[in-house]
Amino acid sequence: MNIHEYQAKQILQKYNIPIYPFQVVKNERDIEQAIDALGVSEAVIKVQVHAGGRGKAGGVKIAKSRKEIIEKTKQLIGMKIVTKQTGKEGIICHEVMITELSDISKEYYLGMIIDRERAKPLLMVSSEGGMEIEEVAEKNPEAILKVYFELDGGIGPTELEDICHFMKWEGETKNQAKEMIRSLCKAFVEKDALILEINPLTEDPEGKLWALDAKFSIDDNALYRHPDIAQMYDPTQSTPQEAVAHEMELAYIALEGNIGCMVNGAGLAMATMDLIKYHGGSPANFLDVGGSATQEKVAESFSIILSDKNVKALLVNIFGGIMKCDLIAGGIIAAAKEIDIKIPLVVRLEGTNVEKGKELLKRSGLAIISANDLTDAAKKAVAEAKK
Ligand code: GDP
Ligand code: MN
């Protein structure tokens, strides 16, 4: 789950990461009060959306007077942001951050992710901060240093020395960098993060380091351990389908294709998408109803998939293990009664009570294209979507 920059900064402040004072406003009438609370006459104003590249998209503005702060903040509230990461529909900004305008001598990059192959958290630093790190990685990979740290959030003294040497941090800056990196590693592990990125990490003219931006993404499966973070979930930053799926605890990800997929189990969902691709089609989504889905969840999944206008055919691929095939069939029938399914529906059922399930579907009178196995199902769905 992604959170906003200001929420990430609230968390990082608790880890003593240097962050310039900021205020967040949702309404025009709160702007003056926010400026007074900051006590500034110059500021940076930033849209709070779940996407990077805001600067380039016009979502980061510098204001040099009180009047300018007010005007520019008004412009950004409700603004639609379109970046590489949002798709062409863009996302609407509902919250705006007003923060102290800082003096920047240097911009660096710092990012952390989980390296799944090594099963370790990985820290990356570069002195080419501010700009897109993907570009640096492609054109100038030696400008990025990668260092592993421990699963308990600890980082070794040698690693810290290597980082400071690579980044040419010396004296007081070096001391501060070490402390900051130790705290960031700790925050990454303690908060079950998948991504923690500070871009840019800046140095001021006195040599002090600051986290000017912060991107924090938390593992959904660990959110039960972080109720304070779980409540930061912002449905306005996802598609309506994703928001409903979140509420229903369905794993749903929208994709570019035109074959809607309803599958139980992530592995089976991946295999289904692979087979669709293999047979010349393209999946419209990834949807895992889970191993213990109820009839209600099946029905909800249907409506989520069908509300996507790109979907030209629907493939239901269920292996009834814990979840029984007759129950699945019941869910499909219930959903079909509520929603008028205008597109071809291909169903492949296998597992517990499969005969009962197939019988139910047959008797329902629904125009279902039944498939014998996964390959057959994928081929039929691809053919239907092409009609
Ligand atoms: P992003 O584009 O979504 O990553 O947004 P950032 O918060 O990283 O801001 C983009 C850029 O705006 C930064 O790389 C800085 O160059 C600039 N910027 C942001 N805050 C300040 C500031 O306080 N002072 C100055 N001079 N530039 C800033
Ligand atoms: Mn940034």
Side-chain angles (χ1 to χ4, degrees):
M1 185 185 91
N2 293 328
I3 58 175
H4 287 295
E5 173 193 2
Y6 76 89
Q7 295 165 327
K9 285 182 168 175
Q10 284 166 354
I11 296 170
L12 294 179
Q13 276 172 334
K14 297 201 183 105
Y15 285 87
N16 295 319
I17 304 298
I19 283 160
Y20 291 104
F22 63 86
Q23 291 283 317
V24 179
V25 295
K26 291 184 188 181
N27 303 299
E28 291 191 1
R29 60 177 183 277
D30 298 334
I31 300 174
E32 302 244 13
Q33 201 190 343
I35 299 172
D36 292 340
L38 282 175
V40 295
S41 55
E42 295 182 330
V44 180
I45 309 146
K46 299 167 146 190
V47 292
Q48 298 296 291
V49 291
H50 288 179
R54 296 165 301 169
K56 279 188 183 162
V60 177
K61 301 219 183 288
I62 289 175
K64 298 274 191 165
S65 68
R66 186 181 178 96
K67 191 165 157 268
E68 229 185 299
I69 301 176
I70 298 171
E71 277 170 14
K72 292 191 168 163
T73 307
K74 281 184 184 170
Q75 281 171 21
L76 294 189
I77 298 175
M79 182 181 176
K80 182 163 137 185
I81 291 289
V82 182
T83 79
K84 265 188 199 165
Q85 293 174 15
T86 63
K88 50 186 180 307
E89 303 83 36
I91 22 179
I92 305 289
C93 158
H94 297 283
E95 294 172 290
V96 174
M97 172 189 278
I98 305 175
T99 178
E100 217 174 281
L101 177 66
S102 60
D103 238 346
I104 303 175
S105 301
K106 282 189 196 121
E107 296 196 12
Y108 305 103
Y109 172 89
L110 184 150
M112 297 173 174
I113 53 164
I114 302 277
D115 181 332
R116 287 164 194 269
E117 268 167 42
R118 286 250 205 137
K120 271 198 156 184
L122 173 65
L123 171 69
M124 294 169 287
V125 287
S126 174
S127 48
E128 316 233 330
M131 61 190 288
E132 281 168 46
I133 196 69
E134 291 85 356
E135 218 168 278
V136 180
E138 202 176 299
K139 293 183 184 152
N140 195 12
E142 63 282 2
I144 301 173
L145 176 73
K146 295 181 177 177
V147 168
Y148 288 93
F149 58 103
E150 301 307 319
L151 286 168
D152 67 1
I155 178 161
T158 327
E159 279 77 8
L160 288 170
E161 276 298 326
D162 289 349
I163 293 167
C164 291
H165 179 75
F166 184 82
M167 299 292 271
K168 302 193 174 70
W169 285 329
E170 280 160 8
E172 200 36 55
T173 308
K174 179 172 170 177
N175 293 337
Q176 196 218 333
K178 285 185 178 180
E179 198 187 310
M180 191 170 175
I181 290 171
R182 264 192 228 108
S183 301
L184 287 169
C185 291
K186 194 164 178 266
F188 182 86
V189 170
E190 282 182 357
K191 299 301 178 194
D192 294 300
L194 296 177
I195 299 172
L196 174 52
E197 190 180 64
I198 312 294
N199 187 27
L201 171 75
T202 60
E203 187 176 325
D204 70 15
E206 281 78 53
K208 185 175 176 187
L209 301 173
W210 298 83
L212 211 75
D213 188 7
K215 179 182 173 125
F216 223 150
S217 183
I218 310 297
D219 186 347
D220 286 343
N221 296 312
L223 282 174
Y224 74 97
R225 291 208 281 230
H226 309 287
D228 51 332
I229 299 178
Q231 58 92 25
M232 291 175 178
Y233 172 72
D234 181 353
T236 70
Q237 300 297 301
S238 23
T239 65
Q241 287 94 341
E242 281 167 349
V244 175
H246 178 90
E247 207 170 293
M248 293 299 295
E249 293 178 345
L250 296 162
Y252 171 84
I253 292 157
L255 302 166
E256 311 279 293
N258 61 2
I259 300 176
C261 305
M262 195 178 102
V263 189
N264 67 333
L268 190 59
M270 298 296 256
T272 306
M273 296 195 303
D274 279 352
L275 271 171
I276 289 172
K277 279 265 178 197
Y278 185 75
H279 291 291
S282 183
N285 69 278
F286 169 100
L287 193 150
D288 173 12
V289 290
S292 56
T294 56
Q295 189 162 311
E296 189 197 3
K297 271 196 183 184
V298 172
E300 201 61 60
S301 304
F302 255 87
S303 56
I304 291 173
I305 295 173
L306 293 173
S307 66
D308 176 352
K309 286 177 186 54
N310 295 323
V311 174
K312 299 283 179 270
L314 182 51
L315 171 53
V316 178
N317 183 23
I318 303 278
F319 186 85
I322 303 169
M323 192 178 178
K324 301 190 177 51
C325 291
D326 51 333
L327 190 142
I328 311 285
I332 296 172
I333 296 163
K337 272 185 192 148
E338 273 171 48
I339 327 156
D340 186 17
I341 304 176
K342 291 197 181 72
I343 54 168
L345 177 59
V346 180
V347 179
R348 180 248 177 175
L349 283 180
E350 196 53 80
T352 314
N353 294 355
V354 64
E355 291 312 325
K356 243 173 151 180
K358 282 186 175 168
E359 187 57 33
L360 279 173
L361 288 177
K362 212 188 228 168
R363 273 195 276 132
S364 71
L366 289 171
I368 288 171
I369 300 161
S370 171
N372 298 323
D373 55 39
L374 190 37
T375 298
D376 186 37
K379 279 185 182 165
K380 282 177 173 159
V382 172
E384 289 299 328
K386 279 187 179 158
K387 274 185 189 167

